[in-house]
Amino acid sequence: MQGTPDLIRSSRFRAEREADWRRLEALVALAERRGVHRMDFAEARDLAELYRQAATSLAVAREISLDRALLDYLEAPTARAYLSVYAPQERIGGLFRRFLAVSAPAAMRRAWAFVLVGVATMALGALAGGTLYFDDPSWYSVFMPTELADGRGPGSSAAELRAAIYGPPDGGGLAAFATYLFSHNTRIAIFIFGLGVFACAPALLLTFYNGLILGAFVALHIDRGLGWDVFGWLSIHGVTELSAICIACAGGLQLGTAVLFPGDRSRAEAIRLAGRDAAKLALVAALMLLAAALLEGFGRQLVQDLRFRVLIGWTIGGLWLAWVRLAGRGAA
Amino acid sequence: MSADPDILTPPEGVPLRFPVAGFGVHVGAQIADIAISGLAAAAAILLLVVTGAVAPIWLAGIGAALFLIVRVPYYVLSELAWNGQTLGKKMMKIKVVAHDGGPLTPHALVLRNLMKEAEVFLPATLVLSLDAERLAPSLIALAWTTGAVAIVLSNRRRRRLGDLMAGTCVVHLPEPVLPSDLSSTAPATATASGADAFGFMTRHLEHYGAYELQTLERVLRVEEQAPATAAEIDRRRQVRAAIVERIRARIDYAEATPPSAHLSFLRAFYTAQRAHLEQRRILGEARADKFHRETRR
């Protein structure tokens, strides 16, 4: 036996390595305080190296040592070092760029069938809402929440409706109006998305209901001979906003489908896999809603001409489509 | 995934123990986060109002934007920047980890915090805005909140739905505390070579296993701390005497040990027993406890 003769084997094992463990502890504290990317090269290298040594020591100690205190101790710096070494190293700016340039459009392309189902659901809702309104205008008040109707209803005259379409916003700054709309719409989208996990039904229902509102609203205006005007009024932001709701619905449907038809996987596993694309869809929806709120808050009030409203709305819609179709091809 | 909910296996293949944070800790961190971020947003708005840096017409918009940011974006960005910790989680010394042992991905953090809207904020808002007049919404709120809590309580890792989807869970950060090595820090009366002074022989050391050794280790750890009261000193003496008697009877140790030598006897026995058991273990015979002979048969 060489080394310090007085010590038993596992104590020698500890005595030889204790200094390294202490240094690892110090490096981990540094990494947790400042972040690995701000450490010196030597420190970062030592952290990774000492972590792997400590992991090895832990595995050996579990085999040869019966010193409970040592086993309990060694686990803690190893565990914390593991968390530091495997921390996400990406910068937030880079994440945004990658998301916009590659991963979001790719996820949208993969989910095209779900998006179509979302669009179809909303179209069906709009059709039903319109048909029901022409059948009996009192359906309008059944679908339309009062705070969204803004005083417009079957009782309103064509002049009142026209004033609402081409009028200045009532009270408050445009910015406040835009952010209010954004937070309201985002909550609805997150709702539609989050509820999708409960077997699709809530997401479909909510999307359908949004379609109903839309259908009844448009029908009311067509009834008053304002069809084109409301088309322009809706186009400028609605192309973006309604697409966003359909996309949120598609995300929810992906999750719900995973719950309903997990295939060979366990449900938790299936949800996890589906969540990869679904979360990206939810983020795209949130981004589009932000754009829609800005368009609605500023654009719609500043641009009063029907043709410009239609032009702006559908051009932006076309840009979204081009982004989804073209961005990041080949990069993935 | 291992059977023990606390065990995580990093890519190095050495399982590590991360105690799963309980429901109360989750709630505590969440409340701290809401308080911190809400107060920060309110303070920012107050500052803008007082300094008059922006026109009043913008204030409502900025306010709405700020209160939107302290919801999902705050949690996503802080967990990204601080490796799975928000300020509230830092206070509670807990952390989000990927339960498959891999690194935390931005995707996982986005997903688990998106679901927070439906799982945490919605029930909280519902409970706060309860209206005794209207029964149906109250019942829906109750069902929703119960469901969200039930999901957390019904799995052993205390994961909420967002965690399940993102493949993450929330754990306590382990604190490293290394006590001295009992086998090498024996008091002067019995140095490591003093183990021989008691003359333990192989036949003395064949009786116990790892369980008894580690129980003795716990007793000796207590002995390392300075006793608080006279009663404590007296109690420890009695415990020592009882243990020494049990050990001597069990291992058939003939020589008498005076009460003054009890502590050094226990330390010496610990060292000798540990050396012996570790030796046997390396040779392939792990002894779990004192019944090792019966179980082997």
Side-chain angles (χ1 to χ4, degrees):
Chain A
M1 298 243 174
Q2 68 275 32
T4 34
D6 278 359
L7 297 176
I8 62 176
R9 191 192 303 267
S10 59
S11 301
R12 272 207 316 281
F13 175 83
R14 168 178 167 167
E16 283 160 11
R17 287 162 180 78
E18 202 172 321
D20 280 350
W21 300 339
R22 295 290 189 200
R23 173 149 166 72
L24 179 64
E25 253 183 78
L27 284 176
V28 167
L30 198 67
E32 283 174 359
R33 211 171 46 244
R34 288 204 316 216
V36 178
H37 57 278
R38 272 194 223 101
M39 289 167 75
D40 294 347
F41 171 72
E43 286 171 336
R45 179 201 57 203
D46 286 356
L47 174 68
E49 204 173 294
L50 288 172
Y51 157 62
R52 300 210 158 83
Q53 278 176 19
T56 316
S57 302
L58 181 61
V60 174
R62 281 186 181 145
E63 282 308 307
I64 68 159
S65 179
L66 290 171
D67 187 355
R68 187 77 254 160
L70 171 71
L71 294 176
D72 289 345
Y73 158 77
L74 189 50
E75 203 151 1
T78 314
R80 292 184 83 134
Y82 151 65
L83 294 176
S84 293
V85 169
Y86 284 96
Q89 302 295 344
E90 284 161 294
R91 311 301 291 271
I92 288 176
L95 281 177
F96 275 119
R97 201 170 321 121
R98 197 162 51 101
F99 175 78
L100 290 178
V102 182
S103 50
M108 292 279 295
R109 287 197 289 272
R110 280 194 294 270
W112 65 272
F114 293 101
V115 178
L116 274 190
V117 173
V119 172
T121 311
M122 180 168 287
L124 217 61
L127 197 65
T131 318
L132 283 171
Y133 177 84
F134 283 126
D135 212 29
D136 178 2
S138 61
W139 278 108
Y140 182 86
S141 48
V142 177
F143 303 140
M144 193 60 116
T146 43
E147 69 268 18
L148 262 177
D150 207 12
R152 285 169 286 185
S156 315
S157 68
E160 282 168 357
L161 292 178
R162 179 177 290 279
I165 289 178
Y166 292 111
D170 39 332
L174 292 180
F177 187 53
T179 36
Y180 160 74
L181 282 174
F182 173 60
S183 53
H184 172 80
N185 291 341
T186 314
R187 217 162 301 153
I188 288 183
I190 289 179
F191 221 59
I192 291 180
F193 168 75
L195 290 178
V197 79
F198 298 105
C200 296
L204 285 176
L205 281 177
L206 267 172
T207 314
F208 187 79
Y209 175 63
N210 264 286
L212 276 181
I213 295 178
L214 177 71
F217 186 75
V218 172
L220 164 71
H221 286 79
I222 292 178
D223 201 29
R224 298 287 193 281
L226 289 168
W228 280 110
D229 301 284
V230 81
F231 178 69
W233 187 80
L234 280 173
S235 284
I236 188 162
H237 70 285
V239 174
T240 304
E241 185 177 282
L242 297 177
S243 313
I245 290 179
C246 292
I247 289 169
C249 173
L253 289 179
Q254 274 191 317
L255 294 178
T257 319
V259 173
L260 285 176
F261 312 110
D264 293 338
R265 305 184 181 89
S266 73
R267 286 213 156 70
E269 181 74 7
I271 291 182
R272 212 170 57 75
L273 280 175
R276 297 202 72 81
D277 277 357
K280 295 193 181 90
L281 259 53
L283 287 183
V284 170
L287 184 73
M288 290 177 72
L289 284 171
L290 178 64
L294 290 177
L295 282 173
E296 190 172 2
F298 294 97
R300 193 168 71 190
Q301 315 303 335
L302 301 177
V303 181
Q304 294 284 345
D305 185 68
L306 168 64
R307 276 164 303 172
F308 274 120
R309 281 183 173 179
V310 173
L311 188 68
I312 294 177
W314 289 94
T315 308
I316 290 175
L319 288 178
W320 288 119
L321 195 63
W323 173 60
V324 168
R325 293 280 302 159
L326 303 174
R329 279 188 183 275
Chain B
M1 200 195 291
S2 60
D4 189 335
D6 288 353
I7 296 291
L8 218 78
T9 309
E12 277 71 25
V14 181
L16 296 173
R17 177 172 298 275
F18 288 95
V20 167
F23 183 66
V25 181
H26 281 242
V27 173
Q30 184 61 62
I31 290 175
D33 268 328
I34 290 176
I36 292 171
S37 56
L39 282 179
I45 291 173
L46 202 64
L47 193 73
L48 288 179
V49 172
V50 171
T51 56
V54 291
I57 196 158
W58 289 93
L59 263 181
I62 293 176
L66 268 178
F67 277 101
L68 199 73
I69 286 173
V70 299
R71 292 170 82 108
V72 171
Y74 159 71
Y75 295 91
V76 173
L77 293 179
S78 62
E79 284 179 7
L80 267 175
W82 291 315
N83 188 18
Q85 286 189 304
T86 58
L87 292 173
K89 290 196 178 73
K90 279 191 175 184
M91 280 170 65
M92 302 298 282
K93 293 196 167 57
I94 56 175
K95 191 172 188 315
V96 183
V97 294
H99 86 117
D100 61 356
L104 271 180
T105 56
H107 159 76
L109 293 178
V110 168
L111 192 56
R112 75 182 293 279
N113 285 311
L114 272 182
M115 291 305 290
K116 185 165 255 177
E117 188 78 22
E119 275 187 282
V120 179
F121 293 134
L122 181 66
T125 324
L126 285 177
V127 169
L128 287 180
S129 59
L130 273 189
D131 184 357
E133 301 283 300
R134 302 188 308 172
L135 185 63
S138 307
L139 284 180
I140 294 174
L142 179 71
W144 194 279
T145 313
T146 319
V149 174
I151 290 174
V152 177
L153 292 181
S154 64
N155 66 81
R156 289 186 305 163
R157 283 199 173 91
R158 296 286 172 264
R159 299 158 79 188
R160 54 184 181 79
L161 201 53
D163 282 320
L164 285 172
M165 286 162 58
T168 55
C169 59
V170 180
V171 295
H172 286 284
L173 274 179
E175 281 298 328
V177 181
L178 179 57
S180 56
D181 191 337
L182 284 173
S183 71
S184 56
T185 56
T189 43
T191 53
S193 56
D196 303 324
F198 288 94
F200 293 117
M201 287 183 283
T202 309
R203 65 181 172 86
H204 291 137
L205 303 174
E206 296 287 7
H207 301 273
Y208 290 119
Y211 175 78
E212 290 77 24
L213 180 76
Q214 286 167 356
T215 310
L216 178 59
E217 180 185 340
R218 274 207 298 281
V219 174
L220 292 175
R221 293 267 174 233
V222 174
E223 294 283 354
E224 281 200 324
Q225 294 151 15
T229 58
E232 173 77 16
I233 296 174
D234 199 47
R235 206 180 53 81
R236 282 192 190 175
R237 189 162 46 232
Q238 286 170 9
V239 169
R240 280 201 300 267
I243 296 175
V244 168
E245 277 318 302
R246 285 294 285 274
I247 292 178
R248 283 187 54 211
R250 176 95 190 183
I251 69 175
D252 199 16
Y253 186 79
E255 283 174 57
T257 42
S260 59
H262 277 172
L263 185 57
S264 36
F265 173 87
L266 288 178
R267 279 179 176 283
F269 181 69
Y270 171 79
T271 306
Q273 182 72 71
R274 192 172 123 192
H276 183 72
L277 285 177
E278 287 174 354
Q279 183 76 25
R280 304 299 313 173
R281 200 170 154 137
I282 286 173
L283 296 176
E285 189 200 338
R287 292 175 177 175
D289 52 33
K290 62 186 173 186
F291 304 112
H292 59 90
R293 264 177 284 214
E294 284 101 276
T295 43
R296 206 140 42 92
R297 227 178 278 136

